[in-house]
DNA sequence: CCCGACATTGACCGCCGGGTCAGGTTTTGG
DNA sequence: CCAAAACCTGACCCGGCGGTCAATGTCGGG
């Protein structure tokens, strides 16, 4: 496929069709597990035609990603009230993003760990499931004693596990250059703030320094 | 490879060696992009030997995952002071996990979106970068007017973006069965609580209902 | 010293899937 | 009406890679 090619109406239609067939299949089976043949078969055309519209499989995928990214951004902007306070705007954007991503769930699922290879989905999930369970129990205890705000314990637990996961990710991917100790301390504060029942409790908890386990790993094995 | 095989000391050593060579290569190039040949070459042995120790490539990967999962869990438990309050324990576990994952960064990077296919790393990242930037600006404004607690704006922004991403993920993967509207509202609360400068402000912000953009998408395009 | 289990080798197989291409049909515009 | 460009076909090519296997080496115990 050459760089600039004049598409007729029918051409545009075909291309869109291939795009959406691919999106469905990607969502269903993942990127790697979807063959070009599958895409063209679903569209009911011959394999060669695929390369009339796309450089290759990767180029098609990229087009899909870019398109969704633009849509998400438009949705966010539409949901934000420009006269509201910053915190309110963040909240609006957050909720709108969640909804948008849920509507396009199959596509966004594509961009994830567990779609990498469905075969590993279970193994990978067990890890966070355990972590979530532990955390949920702690949260329930905290709610009972009034230290943690009274919200869905399961969801709050997912928040903690999630925070660990993505701050770790951001660190690995170089999105933040902060030292790991600084980052760990920050995330500690972050989860405490998001869970604490009131600011008095948050302040109390945060006033106690946390020890680095590596420094005192002499006790119980 | 048969199910139960008696490994000699040397055998154990070889197996461990293959495991760690694989881990390095996986971390460097991703799972799919690492061939069995690469692994055995790095270990300096013949290809056939790989199948003496492992059923196949996937089995090796699974072993790696399980091993790290167990280590992580042990580390968490070691870091937690059983006499502390639940909230304090969560904080301790959170910090310990962050540190542990940072130490094994290359491995944990493996389990991620962007390792799916390095070729797409850039395309995928642009989306969250934009979102993070927008959010950081809002947060800076919020800090200036005292509505958002005075912490690193960049990191706080990553927290918001992260929350959107992983709550969306948990929803897609069926980890929570809550309706999307309920979930969106929850996450809205979650980010407000994690950012608000004090509980008074949080309460104020949360007292205003957020509109569903889909219901009023008539105004500005 | 020799048998059997563990350990190791590397050539070989077979399939799968991305990408090509020579050729045919339809549409467009001059 | 006719060329050129767009559109479409399906057989074919080919490299890569997971996995096999028969042969050989090594070592410990009886």
């Amino acid at each position: 496929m050459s760089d600039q090619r004049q598409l007729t109406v029918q051409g545009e239609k075909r291309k869109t069709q291939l795009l959406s067939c691919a999106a469905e299949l990607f969502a269903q089976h993942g990127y790697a597990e979807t063959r070009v043949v599958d895409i063209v078969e679903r569209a009911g055309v011959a394999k060669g035609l695929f390369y009339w519209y796309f450089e290759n499989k990767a180029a098609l995928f990229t087009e899909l990603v870019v398109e969704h990214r633009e849509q998400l951004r438009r949705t966010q902007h539409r949901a934000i009230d420009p006269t509201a306070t910053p915190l309110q705007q963040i909240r609006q954007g957050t909720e709108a993003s969640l909804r948008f991503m849920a509507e396009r769930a199959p596509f966004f699922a594509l961009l994830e760990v567990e779609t990498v290879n469905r075969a590993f989905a279970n193994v990978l999930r067990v890890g966070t499931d355990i972590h979530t369970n532990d955390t949920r129990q702690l949260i329930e205890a905290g709610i009972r004693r009034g230290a943690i705000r009274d919200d869905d314990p399961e969801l709050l637990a997912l928040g903690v596990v999630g925070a660990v996961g993505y701050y770790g990710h951001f660190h690995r991917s170089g999105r933040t250059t902060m030292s790991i100790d600084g980052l760990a301390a920050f995330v500690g504060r972050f989860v405490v703030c998001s869970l604490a029942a009131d600011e008095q409790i948050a302040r109390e908890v945060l006033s106690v320094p946390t020890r680095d386990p590596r420094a005192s790993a002499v006790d119980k094995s």
Side-chain angles (χ1 to χ4, degrees), chain A:
Chain A
M1 179 205 178
S2 70
D3 224 4
Q4 269 336 6
R5 166 167 295 150
Q6 207 50 34
L7 295 185
T8 65
V9 194
Q10 189 192 161
E12 290 290 0
K13 213 176 268 178
R14 222 344 90 72
K15 186 174 177 179
T16 310
Q17 184 199 11
L18 287 170
L19 237 17
S20 83
C21 287
E24 287 170 33
L25 287 168
F26 285 163
Q28 236 170 76
H29 309 111
Y31 175 79
E33 288 68 34
T34 301
R35 350 254 157 245
V36 173
V37 196
D38 300 332
I39 300 171
V40 295
E41 259 175 18
R42 165 167 294 218
V45 298
K47 189 177 176 185
L49 193 57
F50 183 94
Y51 296 92
W52 177 260
Y53 293 104
F54 305 97
E55 189 82 32
N56 50 39
K57 201 177 143 189
L60 178 148
F61 181 77
T62 303
E63 268 196 45
L64 275 180
V65 172
V66 170
E67 193 188 309
H68 278 81
R69 177 166 79 220
E70 284 164 359
Q71 277 186 47
L72 172 59
R73 193 163 160 80
R74 276 197 296 275
T75 304
Q76 284 170 344
H77 277 113
R78 227 181 299 122
I80 287 177
D81 170 9
T83 67
T85 66
L87 192 51
Q88 198 62 261
Q89 289 186 33
I90 289 173
R91 186 182 171 213
Q92 291 162 347
T94 299
E95 296 191 11
S97 301
L98 256 290
R99 272 196 261 270
F100 178 80
M101 289 167 78
E103 270 164 23
R104 322 259 159 166
F107 175 79
F108 282 95
L110 231 196
L111 313 181
E112 307 215 345
V113 188
E114 316 198 348
T115 316
V116 176
N117 196 331
R118 307 268 157 140
F120 297 130
N122 287 332
V123 203
L124 294 175
R125 178 163 166 177
V126 172
T128 48
D129 271 356
I130 293 176
H131 188 181
T132 309
N133 256 319
D134 289 354
T135 309
R136 200 200 56 242
Q137 280 166 26
L138 287 173
I139 287 175
E140 281 163 355
I143 292 177
R144 274 197 299 277
R145 65 160 71 188
I148 292 182
R149 62 193 176 85
D150 189 16
D151 210 330
D152 185 322
E154 181 75 19
L155 287 180
L156 289 175
L158 287 177
V160 173
V161 174
V164 171
Y166 68 78
Y167 273 113
H169 165 68
F170 289 145
H171 182 251
R172 287 192 286 281
S173 65
R175 217 99 138 221
T176 168
T177 53
M178 173 164 279
S179 78
I180 185 59
D181 288 316
L183 182 65
F186 171 87
V187 181
R189 285 198 298 277
F190 189 85
V191 300
V192 169
C193 289
S194 64
L195 297 178
D198 58 58
E199 57 178 305
Q200 171 61 18
I201 287 172
R203 246 196 298 274
E204 266 170 36
V205 173
L206 292 178
S207 69
V208 183
T210 47
R211 53 172 188 170
D212 183 336
R214 286 168 304 189
S216 61
V218 204
D219 43 5
K220 58 196 171 300
S221 67

